[in-house]
């Protein structure tokens, strides 16, 4: 393990994470558009190595297609006196996310068909989206909706839905192997603190710390619009998917609720054990829930054709995110805290460190297994009567009696002769290395070459 770990653990990030949420909170994000770009650029300020990618509208990603890009500059509803009674500039949740542009006069009846509110939570503005069905609409507290008077209203949504692109970003911290640990979060929610700016901020600062370490695994941090962004990333990187050993989806990590670990679909991977171990040792209140096929982007990572070991750690007193302020203007600074962010940060950090430590052990185990296996490996010479002709197989100098070969070539040629002579079913590669006094690694590689030339077979 690298020495620098101890120093890094001392640093605390709760205040910085909270301040970063304050910075990102006013931005109106969606699954596409300038809100996501602005957010990713702010993350890049902390992580200069972050790569921002644009995927054009219309591109197919498995069963999905990149939608048109949505942007918005203003939206309001005015009463007959010209007074703005619903104003996007006061809270960006007031507009139905992905609303089509509109500018017209409507009656209360018509307006009401385009309003969204929570009757059971009458004081908050709901967060409502319509990405794949063209609509326009406004969201408001139910109590305010009940007070709207008969009459005409002027509705204006200054938005655009046009050919553009979907934006996502990733940061790869290279390790000694291309096997990866994936830490993923989503960046599409507008002014909501816990879901999911807490995740955006935590992953940013986690990456900031971890990029200072040297790891055996490579660690990839992914910032994508939820669902469509994760699907896009997987579709664009399908060849790399098999390199992902373990992954965690970060969501809702800023409240002091119970730590909840949603297991990988497999349920008994090293990651599952590592998370449970860290939670137990950290002396925090926690619960473990089995994988279920709804929730966040673990749905995509654990779909049958992708099937990765991906779990999720979030703060929730229920099985999933059934907190009262969920997807409403109540999900604001009053429910998150620096302390809670700090606690979740340290849990994630410890888990990643456990994975890193294990990866070094795994590396040593692999080397050891390799050695043991190769020591006992035995081959049989398939041309045992006299020597096989090596020169016609490109394994021996074709000009006799010269010294033009490099030492390495001569060495390999000697290895071939030793292996062929002793591969009679009684001597292992280790025995041949001992007798010939040639390094086992040279013997091993030479044997593979002779096997490829069909002069030997494993027994
Ligand atoms: Zn959400």
């Amino acid at each position: 393990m690298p020495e620098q770990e101890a120093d890094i653990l001392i640093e605390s990030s709760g205040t910085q994470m909270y301040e970063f949420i304050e910075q990102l909170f006013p931005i109106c994000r969606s699954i596409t558009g300038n809100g996501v770009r602005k957010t990713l650029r702010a993350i890049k300020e902390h992580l200069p190595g972050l790569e921002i990618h644009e995927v054009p509208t219309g591109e197919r990603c498995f069963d999905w297609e990149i939608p048109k890009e949505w942007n918005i500059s203003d939206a309001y509803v005015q009463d007959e006196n010209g007074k703005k009674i619903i104003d996007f500039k006061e809270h960006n949740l007031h507009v139905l996310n992905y609303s089509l542009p509109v500018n017209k006069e409507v009656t209360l009846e018509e307006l009401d068909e385009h309003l969204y509110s929570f009757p059971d939570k009458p004081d908050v503005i709901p967060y409502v989206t319509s990405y794949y069905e063209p609509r326009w609409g406004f969201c408001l507290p139910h109590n305010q909706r009940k007070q709207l008077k008969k009459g005409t209203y002027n509705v204006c949504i200054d938005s655009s839905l046009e050919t553009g692109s979907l934006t996502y970003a990733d940061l790869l911290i290279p390790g000694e192997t291309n096997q990866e640990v994936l830490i993923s979060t989503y960046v599409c929610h507008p002014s909501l603190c816990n879901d999911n700016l807490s995740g955006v901020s935590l992953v940013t600062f986690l990456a900031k710390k971890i990029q200072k370490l040297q790891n055996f695994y490579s660690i990839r941090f992914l910032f994508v619009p939820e669902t469509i962004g994760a699907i896009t990333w997987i579709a664009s990187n399908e060849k790399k998917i098999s390199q992902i050993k373990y992954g965690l989806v970060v969501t809702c990590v800023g409240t002091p609720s119970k730590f909840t670990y949603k297991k990988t679909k497999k349920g008994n991977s090293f990651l599952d054990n590592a998370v449970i171990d860290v939670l137990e040792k950290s002396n925090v209140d926690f619960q473990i829930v089995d994988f279920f096929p709804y929730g966040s982007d673990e749905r995509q990572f654990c779909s049958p054709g992708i099937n990765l070991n991906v779990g999720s750690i979030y703060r929730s007193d229920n099985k999933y995110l059934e907190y009262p302020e969920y997807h409403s203007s109540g999900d604001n600074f009053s429910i998150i805290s620096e302390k809670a962010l700090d606690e979740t940060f340290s849990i994630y950090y410890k888990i990643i460190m456990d994975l890193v430590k294990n990866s070094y052990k795994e590396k040593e185990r692999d080397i050891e297994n390799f050695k043991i296996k190769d020591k006992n490996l035995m081959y049989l010479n398939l041309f045992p009567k006299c020597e096989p002709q090596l020169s016609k197989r490109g394994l021996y100098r074709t000009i006799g009696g010269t010294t033009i070969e490099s030492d390495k070539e001569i060495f390999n040629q000697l290895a071939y002769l030793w292996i062929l002579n002793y591969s009679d079913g009684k001597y292992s590669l280790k025995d041949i290395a001992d007798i010939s006094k040639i390094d086992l690694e040279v013997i091993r590689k030479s044997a593979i070459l002779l096997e490829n030339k069909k002069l030997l077979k494993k027994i």
Side-chain angles (χ1 to χ4, degrees):
M1 275 293 298
E3 292 289 314
Q4 66 267 43
E5 186 196 343
D7 296 339
I8 284 160
L9 274 172
I10 296 162
E11 206 181 298
S12 164
S13 309
T15 309
Q16 290 164 293
M17 284 190 280
Y18 193 91
E19 284 170 2
F20 196 43
I21 295 172
E22 287 179 317
Q23 181 190 336
L24 299 177
F25 187 82
I27 303 171
C28 182
R29 277 165 291 270
S30 187
I31 52 170
T32 61
N34 292 328
V36 178
R37 286 190 193 97
K38 199 171 173 184
T39 303
L40 295 177
R41 279 200 299 269
I43 296 169
K44 199 174 164 70
E45 294 276 308
H46 290 282
L47 304 171
L50 188 77
E51 286 187 30
I52 299 177
H53 308 266
E54 301 278 351
V55 185
T57 299
E59 190 150 312
R60 297 289 309 177
C61 300
F62 303 125
D63 196 40
W64 296 65
E65 191 178 306
I66 303 293
K68 286 183 174 173
E69 181 179 326
W70 185 71
N71 284 294
I72 183 161
S73 53
D74 201 6
Y76 52 82
V77 177
Q78 283 173 310
D79 66 13
E80 286 170 0
N81 302 319
K83 188 182 166 214
K84 286 181 185 173
I85 56 158
I86 305 174
D87 191 354
F88 167 77
K89 288 194 170 154
E90 276 182 13
H91 204 306
N92 59 39
L93 289 185
H94 271 313
V95 77
L96 171 73
N97 201 287
Y98 247 68
S99 268
L100 295 171
V102 64
N103 191 356
K104 62 176 178 179
E105 288 207 333
V106 292
T107 61
L108 176 62
E109 288 71 30
E110 194 184 341
L111 175 64
D112 198 61
E113 286 171 18
H114 296 272
L115 296 181
Y116 301 86
S117 62
F118 287 151
D120 57 335
K121 292 170 199 164
D123 295 318
V124 293
I125 311 164
Y127 164 49
V128 190
T129 65
S130 185
Y131 303 135
Y132 301 105
E133 189 61 41
R135 286 192 178 93
W136 63 266
F138 288 90
C139 307
L140 73 169
H142 195 69
N143 282 341
Q144 186 189 353
R145 183 179 184 172
K146 284 194 297 187
Q147 284 164 12
L148 293 177
K149 294 185 174 62
K150 280 204 177 302
T152 34
Y153 292 87
N154 181 33
V155 294
C156 171
I157 298 177
D158 188 3
S159 64
S160 62
L161 191 61
E162 292 164 350
T163 297
S165 56
L166 174 144
T167 319
Y168 73 82
D170 62 353
L171 170 71
L172 182 70
I173 300 170
E176 288 178 35
T177 164
N178 58 9
Q179 291 189 326
E180 289 180 15
V181 172
L182 176 73
I183 306 294
S184 178
T185 194
Y186 48 98
V187 286
C188 53
H189 286 34
S191 300
L192 297 162
C193 275
N194 193 37
D195 179 21
N196 183 239
L197 283 177
S198 65
V200 174
S201 190
L202 184 135
V203 173
T204 302
F205 285 88
L206 204 53
K208 211 171 172 174
K209 264 197 178 181
I210 285 173
Q211 69 181 358
K212 296 175 193 163
L213 300 178
Q214 286 166 358
N215 306 304
F216 180 63
Y217 290 146
S218 296
I219 304 182
R220 186 182 298 274
F221 295 88
L222 191 57
F223 300 88
V224 288
E226 199 175 21
T227 307
I228 182 70
I231 293 169
T232 303
W233 183 81
I234 293 168
S236 316
N237 295 278
E238 213 183 339
K239 283 188 189 141
K240 292 184 199 158
I241 290 296
S242 60
Q243 295 170 6
I244 296 171
K245 284 278 281 190
Y246 309 111
L248 287 166
V249 171
V250 184
T251 174
C252 299
V253 291
T255 66
S257 305
K258 200 184 281 183
F259 279 95
T260 306
Y261 175 54
K262 178 181 176 179
K263 282 182 170 183
T264 66
K265 200 166 158 188
K266 198 169 152 193
N268 61 353
S269 68
F270 180 82
L271 172 69
D272 295 298
N273 297 333
V275 174
I276 295 167
D277 190 50
V278 166
L279 288 169
E280 276 172 355
K281 285 182 183 154
S282 299
N283 202 20
V284 293
D285 195 12
F286 73 92
Q287 61 179 343
I288 308 293
V289 295
D290 286 332
F291 177 83
F292 47 89
Y294 54 94
S296 187
D297 288 331
E298 65 278 8
R299 282 151 42 199
Q300 317 309 333
F301 296 121
C302 300
S303 59
I306 306 302
N307 208 17
L308 297 175
N309 280 322
V310 174
S312 181
I313 304 160
Y314 43 89
R315 309 286 296 259
S316 175
D317 294 323
N318 307 301
K319 184 179 172 187
Y320 200 53
L321 308 172
E322 293 133 4
Y323 58 98
E325 301 85 2
Y326 177 70
H327 278 197
S328 81
S329 56
D331 187 342
N332 56 37
F333 290 94
S334 67
I335 65 164
I336 63 162
S337 72
E338 287 181 21
K339 185 168 175 277
L341 285 163
D342 238 351
E343 287 166 356
T344 324
F345 182 92
S346 75
I347 294 288
Y348 266 96
Y349 186 77
K350 283 180 197 166
I351 290 162
I352 294 172
M353 286 305 102
D354 269 13
L355 294 178
V356 168
K357 271 182 214 156
N358 181 61
S359 72
Y360 279 98
K361 277 189 208 150
E362 211 167 70
K363 182 187 168 188
E364 281 161 23
R365 268 200 304 271
D366 281 354
I367 292 169
E368 217 31 61
N369 284 341
F370 207 55
K371 277 186 192 161
I372 292 163
K373 216 170 69 194
D374 279 358
K375 268 182 200 167
N376 301 325
L377 210 57
M378 210 178 265
Y379 283 90
L380 189 68
N381 181 347
L382 298 173
F383 292 80
K385 294 178 181 173
C386 301
E387 282 178 359
Q389 194 182 349
L390 298 181
S391 57
K392 73 176 182 188
R393 294 176 172 89
L395 294 172
Y396 208 73
R397 61 176 189 250
T398 50
I399 303 171
T402 68
T403 52
I404 56 168
E405 307 91 352
S406 68
D407 286 353
K408 200 175 148 203
E409 276 167 335
I410 292 167
F411 204 53
N412 283 343
Q413 286 172 9
L414 288 177
Y416 300 149
L417 298 178
W418 278 101
I419 296 163
L420 287 166
N421 198 298
Y422 279 81
S423 289
D424 58 359
K426 294 194 190 87
Y427 297 91
S428 70
L429 291 189
K430 171 74 166 57
D431 297 333
I432 298 171
D434 288 346
I435 298 166
S436 67
K437 301 195 170 39
I438 296 174
D439 187 75
L440 177 60
E441 190 57 14
V442 176
I443 293 289
R444 190 182 70 82
K445 283 184 179 159
S446 302
I448 292 168
L449 224 137
L450 293 172
E451 189 186 15
N452 290 343
K453 298 282 182 182
K454 311 230 182 308
L455 293 171
L456 294 180
K457 75 166 186 185
K458 277 195 196 105
I459 52 173

